[in-house]
Amino acid sequence: GQNIDQPTEMTATEGAIVQINCTYQTSGFNGLFWYQQHAGEAPTFLSYNVLDGLEEKGRFSSFLSRSKGYSYLLLKELQMKDSASYLCALMDSNYQLIWGAGTKLIIKP
Amino acid sequence: GAVVSQHPSWVICKSGTSVKIECRSLDFQATTMFWYRQFPKQSLMLMATSNEGSKATYEQGVEKDKFLINHASLTLSTLTVTSAHPEDSSFYICSARDLGAGEVETQYFGPGTRLLVL
């Protein structure tokens, strides 16, 4: 089966850097996604990793290590609008997304 | 980027009535759409996978006769909650898979439909 773990909640300061970790176990793997979800809204796509390494996209970067079953989302120069839940999702061998429970990120001034 | 719309965004209905939610991919064709339900402070729960021109695949524990899914075209899928009850009150979100050339199989989400059954 599959399993995804990510912290329930994190707090960071405006302007700082935060790293949200995601670990997973799976028998089939077709990539790992990160989505952002503001309260009361649907998720929006942030990043996709299928090969090991770091993918940078502006203030957001995502890292993957397939051998370790590990990914992280790195957010730099935090802004208040970054307060949201961040969902880690694994794409399995059937191309279905398996969702983590999400990490609620609270940004303080 | 790919845009997915959902209608209605809000619906309040009486117990026992049926509610239809539409999901449309606006600028791409989606052979596969997904229906999710999300309760407050919980993660997304996949209800069913909707394939154009064929029957939907329901996740374990989801009643197919209660949650009717129709995917009649490459840009439209509908979810009908039949005989809705208060426990069906939730945030329903659809997503569509964009398989455009060179694209990662990303799912793009509609804005969601908040259902309140009185």
Side-chain angles (χ1 to χ4, degrees):
Chain A
Q2 296 103 346
N3 187 47
I4 299 178
D5 289 309
Q6 52 182 130
T8 303
E9 187 173 296
M10 298 182 71
T11 302
T13 304
E14 190 178 14
I17 298 173
V18 71
Q19 178 175 311
I20 303 174
N21 295 325
C22 172
T23 58
Y24 62 88
Q25 297 89 41
T26 183
S27 53
F29 181 80
N30 274 305
L32 190 129
F33 293 79
W34 284 95
Y35 282 80
Q36 179 191 59
Q37 185 177 25
H38 283 101
E41 299 180 11
T44 56
F45 170 74
L46 288 179
S47 69
Y48 169 74
N49 294 69
V50 69
L51 299 177
D52 289 351
L54 188 68
E55 295 279 343
E56 296 187 73
K57 200 184 279 188
R59 293 190 299 116
F60 293 5
S61 303
S62 57
F63 172 84
L64 175 68
S65 169
R66 288 171 296 171
S67 61
K68 295 181 180 178
Y70 169 66
S71 172
Y72 67 71
L73 180 70
L74 189 72
L75 292 78
K76 302 177 185 177
E77 301 170 17
L78 286 171
Q79 302 175 9
M80 298 303 294
K81 67 178 182 179
D82 297 331
S83 293
S85 287
Y86 292 85
L87 307 174
C88 171
L90 161 70
M91 181 165 277
D92 68 10
S93 53
N94 295 318
Y95 294 96
Q96 300 281 52
L97 281 181
I98 311 298
W99 294 88
T103 298
K104 182 179 180 181
L105 177 63
I106 300 168
I107 310 296
K108 294 185 174 179
Chain B
V3 179
V4 177
S5 71
Q6 229 177 297
H7 178 80
S9 55
W10 263 101
V11 60
I12 302 174
C13 68
K14 293 182 179 179
S15 185
T17 60
S18 294
V19 175
K20 180 187 279 189
I21 303 170
E22 292 185 350
C23 178
R24 294 181 185 272
S25 56
L26 297 185
D27 51 0
F28 66 100
Q29 293 183 331
T31 55
T32 304
M33 290 184 173
F34 303 87
W35 287 97
Y36 292 87
R37 182 165 54 181
Q38 187 176 36
F39 292 105
K41 298 184 179 181
Q42 295 187 22
S43 188
L44 298 168
M45 188 191 80
L46 180 65
M47 299 175 66
T49 301
S50 169
N51 297 297
E52 186 266 338
S54 65
K55 291 182 179 180
T57 304
Y58 289 82
E59 296 300 301
Q60 193 172 7
V62 178
E63 299 175 55
K64 62 180 181 180
D65 294 330
K66 180 170 182 64
F67 299 99
L68 301 178
I69 291 172
N70 184 284
H71 193 160
S73 78
L74 288 172
T75 58
L76 173 64
S77 175
T78 60
L79 168 68
T80 302
V81 183
T82 61
S83 187
H85 287 93
E87 57 266 29
D88 298 324
S89 299
S90 187
F91 190 40
Y92 291 86
I93 311 172
C94 75
S95 70
R97 181 184 285 166
D98 185 354
L99 290 177
E103 288 283 339
V104 163
E105 290 196 28
T106 302
Q107 286 185 30
Y108 293 93
F109 286 86
T113 297
R114 205 162 290 283
L115 171 63
L116 177 61
V117 185
L118 302 176

